[in-house]
C-alpha cells in the first residue's frame, strides 16, 4: 500500500459556521425529557396506591371516605384551565402579548382556586395524614400533586413577570411561554389519573 | 462539511469573547459551567469519597479478622457497613462514571462545545457535596445502620435522625442524577456535529444514552420510596408499618425497581469505557459495533424488568419467581454479547499492554466471574440458599469492584492525558494494576466459599469455623488499601510534573483526541468534521499514522 498515512487530525477538516458558538434552544426537549421522569414519580405513587387497594377489603376504609362534589368541581376547573392556557399560547403565536397576559392571568387564578379548594377539602374531611394507610396515600398523593400545581402557578407568574418587558416574548420567540403551558398540561393529566384512582374508584368499591 | 468556509483572516484563533482561554486551578472550586471542569469536579469529588468508603471497608475487615466484635462496637459496624455501600455507589461509582467521564467526554466525543444545559449541569454537580455531607454528618447521630438497602422495619426503628439524613442525601443525589440524565439525552440527540450520524457515535456515548434513559425511568421510583420512608419515620404515616396496615414489601419493590437498574447505571458507562479503551490499545476496529449498541439498549429495557430477583426470599409467589428468574437469565445474554465483542476485538490485535489496557483486560476476567455468580443467583432455587450470604457479597464485588472500579481505573489511565495534558507514569500504573488484581481476588474470591458454607452477610461477629477464610479476605483488603498508594502518588506527581501529553498520545480516532490536551475552553477553535468512523483502526492507513503533535 502506498497511500500516504492520514493522521486523524488531517482527516478532520474544519468548518466555520458563523454562529457555532451560539447555543440553540433545547429547553423544550429538556423539559419533555424531565417530565417523562417526573411522571414516573407519580407512577410509583399510583402503584403503591393500587397495591394497597388490592390488599384492603374495603378501600377507602370506613371513616376515611372521600367526598365527590368538591373534587369534581375542582377537576372541572383544572381541566378547563388547560384550555385557557392554550389560548394564551395561541395569542402569543400571533404576537399578541396582551392576550397572552390575559389568558395566563386567568389560568393562574384558576390554579389558585384549585389549590384553595384542595385546602378546603383537607380542612373539612375529618381525618388527617396519619389516620390510616388510605389517608396516608390520599394526603401524600394530592399533596404532592398540589405542590406541582403550585410550581406551575409560579412558572406562569414567571412568564407574566417577563412578559411585562415589551419584546421579551414575540410570535417567533416564546419557548418560556410554551414550557409553562406544557408543564400545566402535565399537571392536569396527572390530576385526571389521580382523580380516577382516588375518587372514581371509590365509587366502584 | 464539504463546503468549509474560510475564516475571516485575523480573527481565527480567537475563542469567543466571553471566556478566558484556560481555567485556573481555583476555577475548579467554583460554580463553573464548563463540562470539562464539571467532569473533573465529579471525578475528584468521587475519588475522595472512594477513599472514605474504602477506609470504612478496611475498618470492617479489620473487625472481621476475628470472630468476635473486638475492634469496634457492632452498631458502629452497621453504620460503617451502611455508609460504605451507600458511598461507594452514590458517592463514587455513579458520580465518577456518569458525572465524571460522562460530562468530560460526551461533548468532546460528539463534537459539541458543551452540554445542552451548562448551568443545570453545574447545579447537578453542586447537589452532591451537600448530599455527601449529610451522609458523613449522620455519624454524629450514630449513622444510618439499616444497610444501603434500608429495608423497613429495621430502617424505621434504628437511628431515626441518621436514617432521615440518609434518605435526604440519596434523594439529593437522585435528583442530581435525573438532571444530569436530562442533559445527556438532550446533548446527544441535539448536539452531535452535523457530520456524525447515529451509527458513527462512539460507543461510550451510546452507553451514556442507555444509562441516562435508565436513570430517568428508575430514579424517580426510588425517590418516592425514600420519601414515603421519610414520612414513616418522621410524620407518623404507616406505609411500611405492618402493625398499622402498611406493607414492607412495597418498599422492596420501589427500592429494587430503582436499584437493580442502578447496577446497570454503574456498569453501562464502564462498558462504554471498555469499548473505547480496547480498540485503541489493540489497534483494531471494535468487533460488532451494532451488537454493542443493541445490547446496551436491550439491557436498558430488559433491565427494568428483573428487579424481583433481589426478593426471591421475600414471600414472593412462585409465578413471580419464575418470571423473574427467566427475565434475569435473559438480561445476562446482552451482557455476554459485549464480553464476546471485546474478546473478539482483542483477538489478533496488536495489543499494547498499557496500564489502561491492563485494567480493561483485568475487568474482562473479573467481570466474567461476577456475571457467572450473578446467573447462579438469578436462578431462584439457588438464590433461596445463597440470599443474604457472603456469596452475594462476592458476586457484587466482582461486578462492582472487578467491573466498575477496574473500568474507572482503565478510564483514568486512558483519558488522564486528555484531561490534564500530562501522561501518567506507566511502571507505577502497572504496579497499581498488579496490586489491585491480587488484592481484589484475595479479598473477594474466598467470599464465594464463605457464602456457600452459609456465612451470613452484614454481621460483625461470626461462627469461629469461618475464621481462616475471613482472615484471607482481610489480608486481601489490606493489599487493596495499599494498592491505592502507587495510584495516588502517580496521579499527584504526574498532574504536576509528568511528561507532557500531546493532543493524541494513543493515536486514537475519536473526536476528543482532535483537540489539545487539555482541551481549550469551548473545545475547538472550529468544530471538527467527521471523515471516518470512531474505530477505523488499520483501515485507510489510520493505524500507521505517526503520533500527532499538540496543536495549540
Ligand atoms: C450477569 C448479570 C447479572 C445477574 C444475572 C445478576 C444477578 C443478581 C442477583 C440474582 C442478585 C440477588 C442476590 C441476592 O440478594 O440473593 C444480585 C445481587 C447484586 N448484584 Fe447482580 N447480577 C448481574 C450483574 C450485576 C452487575 C453488572 C452489577 C453491578 C455492577 C451487580 C450488582 C449487584 C449488587 C450490588 C447486588 C447486591 C444487592 C444487595 O445489596 O442485596 N450485578 N445480582
Ligand atoms: Cu439485580
Amino acid at each position: 500500500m502506498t497511500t500516504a498515512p492520514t493522521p486523524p487530525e488531517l482527516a478532520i477538516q474544519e468548518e466555520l459556521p458563523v454562529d457555532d458558538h451560539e447555543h440553540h434552544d433545547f429547553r423544550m426537549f429538556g423539559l419533555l425529557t424531565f417530565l417523562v421522569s417526573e411522571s414516573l414519580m407519580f407512577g410509583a405513587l399510583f402503584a403503591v396506591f393500587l397495591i394497597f387497594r388490592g390488599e384492603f377489603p374495603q378501600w377507602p376504609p370506613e371513616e376515611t371516605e372521600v367526598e365527590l362534589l368538591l373534587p369534581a368541581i375542582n377537576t372541572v376547573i383544572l381541566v378547563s384551565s388547560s384550555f385557557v392556557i392554550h389560548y394564551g399560547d395561541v395569542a402569543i403565536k400571533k404576537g399578541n402579548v396582551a392576550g397572552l397576559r390575559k389568558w395566563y392571568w386567568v389560568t393562574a387564578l384558576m390554579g389558585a382556586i384549585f389549590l384553595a379548594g384542595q385546602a378546603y377539602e383537607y380542612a373539612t374531611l375529618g381525618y388527617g395524614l396519619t389516620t390510616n394507610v388510605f389517608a396516608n396515600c390520599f394526603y401524600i398523593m394530592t399533596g404532592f400533586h398540589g405542590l406541582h400545581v403550585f410550581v406551575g402557578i409560579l412558572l406562569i407568574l414567571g412568564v407574566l413577570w417577563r412578559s411585562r418587558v415589551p419584546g421579551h416574548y414575540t410570535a417567533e420567540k416564546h419557548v418560556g411561554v410554551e414550557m409553562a403551558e406544557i408543564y400545566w398540561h402535565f399537571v392536569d393529566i396527572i390530576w385526571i389519573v389521580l382523580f380516577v384512582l382516588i375518587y372514581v374508584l371509590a365509587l366502584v368499591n | 462539511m464539504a463546503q468549509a468556509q474560510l475564516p475571516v483572516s485575523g480573527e481565527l484563533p480567537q475563542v469567543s469573547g466571553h471566556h478566558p482561554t484556560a481555567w485556573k486551578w481555583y476555577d475548579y472550586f467554583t460554580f463553573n459551567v464548563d463540562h470539562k471542569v464539571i467532569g473533573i469536579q465529579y471525578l475528584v469529588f468521587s475519588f475522595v469519597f472512594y477513599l472514605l468508603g474504602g477506609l470504612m471497608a478496611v475498618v470492617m475487615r479489620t473487625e472481621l479478622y476475628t470472630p468476635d466484635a473486638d475492634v469496634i462496637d457492632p452498631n458502629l459496624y452497621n453504620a460503617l457497613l451502611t455508609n460504605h455501600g451507600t458511598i461507594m455507589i452514590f458517592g463514587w461509582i455513579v458520580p465518577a462514571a456518569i458525572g465524571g467521564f460522562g460530562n468530560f467526554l460526551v461533548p468532546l466525543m460528539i463534537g459539541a462545545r458543551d452540554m445542552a444545559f451548562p448551568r443545570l449541569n453545574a447545579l447537578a454537580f453542586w447537589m452532591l457535596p451537600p448530599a455527601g455531607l449529610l451522609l458523613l454528618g449522620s455519624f454524629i447521630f450514630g449513622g444510618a445502620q439499616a444497610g444501603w438497602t434500608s429495608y423497613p422495619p429495621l430502617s424505621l426503628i434504628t437511628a431515626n435522625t441518621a436514617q432521615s439524613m440518609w434518605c435526604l442525601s440519596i434523594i439529593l443525589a437522585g435528583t442530581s442524577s435525573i438532571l444530569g440524565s436530562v442533559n445527556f439525552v438532550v446533548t446527544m440527540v441535539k448536539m452531535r456535529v452535523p457530520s456524525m450520524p447515529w451509527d458513527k457515535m462512539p460507543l461510550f456515548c451510546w452507553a451514556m444514552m442507555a444509562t441516562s434513559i435508565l436513570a430517568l425511568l428508575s430514579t424517580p421510583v426510588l425517590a418516592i420510596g425514600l420519601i414515603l420512608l421519610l414520612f414513616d419515620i418522621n410524620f407518623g404515616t404507616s406505609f411500611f408499618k405492618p402493625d398499622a396496615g402498611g406493607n414492607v414489601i412495597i418498599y422492596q419493590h420501589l427500592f429494587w425497581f430503582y436499584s437493580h437498574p442502578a447496577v446497570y447505571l454503574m456498569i453501562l458507562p464502564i462498558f462504554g469505557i471498555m469499548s473505547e479503551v480496547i480498540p485503541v490499545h489493540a489497534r483494531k476496529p471494535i468487533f460488532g459495533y451494532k451488537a454493542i449498541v443493541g445490547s446496551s439498549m436491550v439491557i436498558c429495557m430488559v433491565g427494568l424488568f428483573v428487579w424481583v430477583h433481589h426478593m426471591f426470599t421475600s414471600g414472593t409467589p412462585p409465578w413471580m419467581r419464575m418470571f423473574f428468574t427467566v427475565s434475569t437469565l435473559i438480561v445476562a445474554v446482552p451482557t455476554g454479547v459485549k464480553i464476546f465483542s471485546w474478546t473478539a476485538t482483542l483477538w489478533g490485535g496488536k495489543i499494547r499492554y498499557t496500564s489502561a489496557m491492563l485494567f480493561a483486560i483485568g475487568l474482562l476476567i473479573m467481570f466474567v466471574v461476577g456475571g457467572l455468580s450473578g446467573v447462579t443467583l438469578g436462578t431462584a432455587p439457588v438464590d433461596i440458599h445463597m440470599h443474604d450470604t457472603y456469596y452475594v457479597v462476592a458476586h457484587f464485588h466482582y461486578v462492582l469492584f472487578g467491573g466498575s472500579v477496574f473500568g474507572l481505573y482503565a478510564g483514568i489511565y486512558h483519558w488522564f492525558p486528555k484531561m490534564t495534558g500530562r501522561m501518567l507514569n506507566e511502571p507505577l500504573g502497572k504496579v497499581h494494576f498488579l496490586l489491585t488484581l491480587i488484592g481484589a481476588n484475595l479479598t473477594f474470591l474466598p467470599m464465594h466459599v464463605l457464602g456457600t458454607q452459609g456465612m451470613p452477610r452484614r454481621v460483625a461477629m461470626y461462627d469461629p469455623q469461618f475464621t481462616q477464610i475471613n482472615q484471607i479476605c482481610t489480608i486481601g483488603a489490606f493489599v487493596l488499601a495499599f494498592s491505592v498508594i502507587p495510584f495516588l502518588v502517580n496521579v499527584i506527581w504526574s498532574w504536576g510534573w509528568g511528561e507532557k501529553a500531546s493532543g493524541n498520545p494513543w493515536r486514537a480516532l475519536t473526536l476528543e483526541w482532535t483537540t489539545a490536551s487539555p482541551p481549550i475552553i469551548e473545545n475547538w477553535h472550529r468544530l471538527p468534521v467527521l471523515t471516518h468512523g470512531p474505530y477505523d483502526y488499520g483501515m485507510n492507513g489510520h493505524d500507521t499514522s505517526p503520533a500527532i503533535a499538540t496543536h495549540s
Side-chain angles (χ1 to χ4, degrees):
Chain A
M1 291 279 272
T2 50
T3 32
T6 331
E9 205 186 357
L10 295 188
I12 289 163
Q13 295 145 17
E14 294 175 328
E15 67 175 328
L16 188 66
V18 188
D19 65 338
D20 92 6
H21 284 273
E22 235 167 60
H23 302 290
H24 298 272
D25 198 334
F26 304 130
R27 281 179 299 164
M28 183 56 104
F29 186 46
L31 177 70
L32 291 174
T33 318
F34 177 74
L35 289 182
V36 169
S37 190
E38 192 71 359
S39 63
L40 270 130
M41 274 192 127
F42 286 100
L45 282 175
F46 298 160
V48 171
F49 182 87
L50 285 172
I51 295 174
F52 278 125
R53 184 174 192 275
E55 269 179 11
F56 277 69
Q58 196 185 346
W59 188 262
E62 242 167 279
E63 295 181 352
T64 46
E65 277 92 4
V66 287
E67 60 163 311
L68 198 56
L69 182 63
L70 180 65
I73 298 173
N74 245 351
T75 306
V76 172
I77 293 175
L78 198 63
V79 173
S80 349
S81 75
S82 246
F83 292 93
V84 174
I85 197 169
H86 187 65
Y87 286 126
D89 185 42
V90 171
I92 193 64
K93 283 211 166 74
K94 293 180 189 142
N96 177 0
V97 179
L100 162 75
R101 288 175 60 80
K102 179 178 75 188
W103 293 117
Y104 269 53
W105 270 120
V106 176
T107 314
L109 194 67
M110 291 171 88
I113 294 174
F114 174 90
L115 284 185
Q118 189 90 58
Y120 179 79
E121 189 189 2
Y122 285 179
T124 54
L125 215 45
Y127 54 85
L129 170 68
T130 58
T131 307
N132 61 18
V133 176
F134 175 81
N136 297 167
C137 290
F138 173 84
Y139 278 99
I140 294 277
M141 285 163 76
T142 53
F144 194 54
H145 176 266
L147 196 68
H148 280 73
V149 176
F150 184 69
V151 171
I153 294 177
L154 290 185
L155 289 180
I156 291 173
L157 291 180
V159 169
L160 286 167
W161 179 256
R162 293 189 166 183
S163 62
R164 293 171 321 133
V165 182
H168 189 90
Y169 295 121
T170 62
E172 294 78 34
K173 186 174 78 70
H174 51 263
V175 182
V177 175
E178 283 181 334
M179 285 172 70
E181 183 195 353
I182 292 287
Y183 186 84
W184 196 254
H185 291 322
F186 169 76
V187 169
D188 200 14
I189 292 168
I190 294 291
W191 174 258
I192 294 173
V193 181
L194 231 149
F195 180 73
V196 170
L197 285 182
I198 294 184
Y199 299 97
V200 179
L201 282 189
L203 298 176
V204 294
N205 204 350
Chain B
M1 305 251 91
Q3 59 324 6
Q5 290 167 277
L6 277 178
V8 185
S9 63
E11 63 172 45
L12 169 59
Q14 206 59 44
V15 182
S16 66
H18 51 284
H19 286 315
T21 46
W23 300 116
K24 299 278 188 302
W25 65 269
Y26 48 78
D27 289 313
Y28 289 84
F29 295 87
T30 60
F31 190 88
N32 193 300
V33 298
D34 184 328
H35 72 100
K36 301 183 292 296
V37 174
I38 294 175
I40 289 172
Q41 284 173 331
Y42 269 112
L43 279 171
V44 172
F45 167 89
S46 58
F47 199 83
V48 171
F49 271 79
Y50 178 45
L51 294 179
L52 286 171
L55 196 67
M56 295 178 182
V58 169
V59 176
M60 286 191 290
R61 276 316 321 171
T62 310
E63 167 61 66
L64 292 171
Y65 196 75
T66 56
D68 290 326
D70 34 24
V71 179
I72 50 170
D73 174 62
N75 285 329
L76 178 59
Y77 182 92
N78 287 347
L80 291 178
L81 170 90
T82 303
N83 286 281
H84 161 75
T86 309
I87 285 176
M88 288 306 192
I89 292 172
F90 296 99
W92 159 233
I93 297 179
V94 170
I98 303 178
F101 284 109
N103 273 307
F104 191 91
L105 292 175
V106 165
L108 281 169
M109 282 183 161
I110 63 173
R113 298 202 181 277
D114 208 315
M115 298 285 284
F117 309 111
R119 258 176 303 163
L120 188 71
N121 204 14
L123 183 70
F125 169 74
W126 284 103
M127 288 180 162
L128 282 186
L133 287 181
L134 272 172
L135 274 190
L136 297 180
S138 79
F139 274 93
I140 299 169
F141 306 94
Q145 295 168 24
W148 84 280
T149 51
S150 284
Y151 279 7
L154 186 61
S155 51
L156 299 178
I157 56 175
T158 37
N160 282 345
T161 312
Q163 189 67 49
S164 305
M165 291 168 84
W166 181 91
C167 290
L168 288 174
S169 166
I170 306 302
I171 292 172
L172 258 182
T175 311
S176 154
S177 158
I178 290 177
L179 299 181
S181 302
V182 168
N183 226 334
F184 282 123
V185 170
V186 177
T187 304
M188 280 182 276
V189 172
K190 298 282 188 189
M191 293 173 67
R192 282 168 292 130
V193 275
S195 48
M196 182 182 283
W198 283 112
D199 65 355
K200 289 275 189 310
M201 189 163 80
L203 287 165
F204 178 78
C205 299
W206 274 109
M208 285 307 300
M209 182 66 93
T211 306
S212 308
I213 294 173
L214 213 47
L216 285 172
L217 297 181
S218 61
T219 318
V221 177
L222 174 74
I224 288 297
L226 297 183
I227 289 172
L228 300 188
L229 195 65
L230 263 180
F231 270 80
D232 270 13
I233 295 175
N234 297 298
F235 304 112
T237 57
S238 36
F239 291 102
F240 309 130
K241 293 176 187 158
D243 52 348
N247 182 343
V248 290
I249 302 295
I250 293 182
Y251 175 85
Q252 297 190 11
H253 280 294
L254 295 174
F255 182 83
W256 288 114
F257 186 84
Y258 166 76
S259 289
H260 179 80
V263 310
Y264 294 121
L265 299 188
M266 292 186 277
I267 203 67
L268 281 172
I270 303 297
F271 286 171
I273 290 176
M274 286 288 278
S275 302
E276 300 301 330
V277 170
I278 287 186
V280 173
H281 296 270
R283 315 308 301 160
K284 263 185 69 191
I286 189 96
F287 182 91
Y289 173 93
K290 289 203 172 124
I292 293 180
V293 172
S295 64
S296 291
M297 289 301 157
V298 172
I299 287 179
C300 161
M301 293 303 141
V302 182
L304 284 169
F305 300 97
V306 302
W307 78 92
V308 176
H309 66 217
H310 295 273
M311 301 166 55
F312 283 144
T313 59
S314 305
T316 308
W319 69 264
M320 238 192 209
R321 286 179 174 171
M322 179 94 103
F323 177 89
F324 284 96
T325 292
V326 173
S327 64
T328 301
L329 298 187
I330 289 175
V331 83
V333 174
T335 314
V337 166
K338 287 184 200 280
I339 301 278
F340 284 119
S341 288
W342 298 323
T343 315
T345 308
L346 288 171
W347 190 273
K350 288 186 229 157
I351 299 178
R352 303 187 294 207
Y353 290 99
T354 53
S355 305
M357 188 57 151
L358 286 175
F359 271 103
I361 295 173
L363 188 158
L364 209 55
I365 297 164
M366 300 289 281
F367 192 83
V368 168
V369 179
L372 288 178
S373 61
V375 171
T376 57
L377 286 172
T379 321
V382 178
D383 185 63
I384 287 166
H385 293 279
M386 301 296 197
H387 179 64
D388 270 351
T389 69
Y390 258 83
Y391 191 83
V392 176
V393 181
H395 158 64
F396 67 71
H397 281 95
Y398 265 87
V399 283
L400 283 174
F401 195 94
S404 305
V405 178
F406 271 55
L408 288 172
Y409 278 138
I412 292 171
Y413 281 102
H414 186 69
W415 281 292
F416 189 87
K418 181 51 62 183
M419 292 177 174
T420 64
R422 305 273 183 174
M423 304 299 288
L424 279 169
N425 178 292
E426 276 295 320
L428 264 181
K430 282 169 186 150
V431 171
H432 172 221
F433 168 71
L434 221 65
L435 285 173
T436 312
L437 188 73
I438 295 170
N441 284 296
L442 209 56
T443 314
F444 303 120
L445 197 65
M447 289 185 184
H448 292 100
V449 184
L450 282 178
T452 43
Q453 291 182 359
M455 176 169 162
R457 65 191 278 209
R458 294 177 166 158
V459 288
M461 291 169 272
Y462 54 85
D463 193 289
Q465 61 163 324
F466 301 123
T467 312
Q468 262 186 353
I469 306 181
N470 268 298
Q471 288 176 343
I472 302 177
C473 297
T474 300
I475 292 167
F478 290 153
V479 176
L480 273 186
F482 184 74
S483 75
V484 181
I485 295 174
F487 176 73
L488 272 180
V489 170
N490 198 350
V491 165
I492 293 171
W493 185 81
S494 303
W495 207 326
W497 303 276
E499 182 196 336
K500 283 236 159 63
S502 68
N504 190 1
W506 310 122
R507 290 183 290 131
L509 294 178
T510 37
L511 290 182
E512 78 270 28
W513 302 103
T514 61
T515 180
S517 299
I520 55 172
I521 291 171
E522 302 221 327
N523 301 347
W524 291 273
H525 294 303
R526 284 164 298 164
L527 288 183
V529 172
L530 214 62
T531 54
H532 53 70
Y535 309 107
D536 288 354
Y537 298 101
M539 296 155 78
N540 312 324
H542 286 310
D543 199 27
T544 47
S545 64
I548 292 155
T550 329
H551 81 125
S552 57

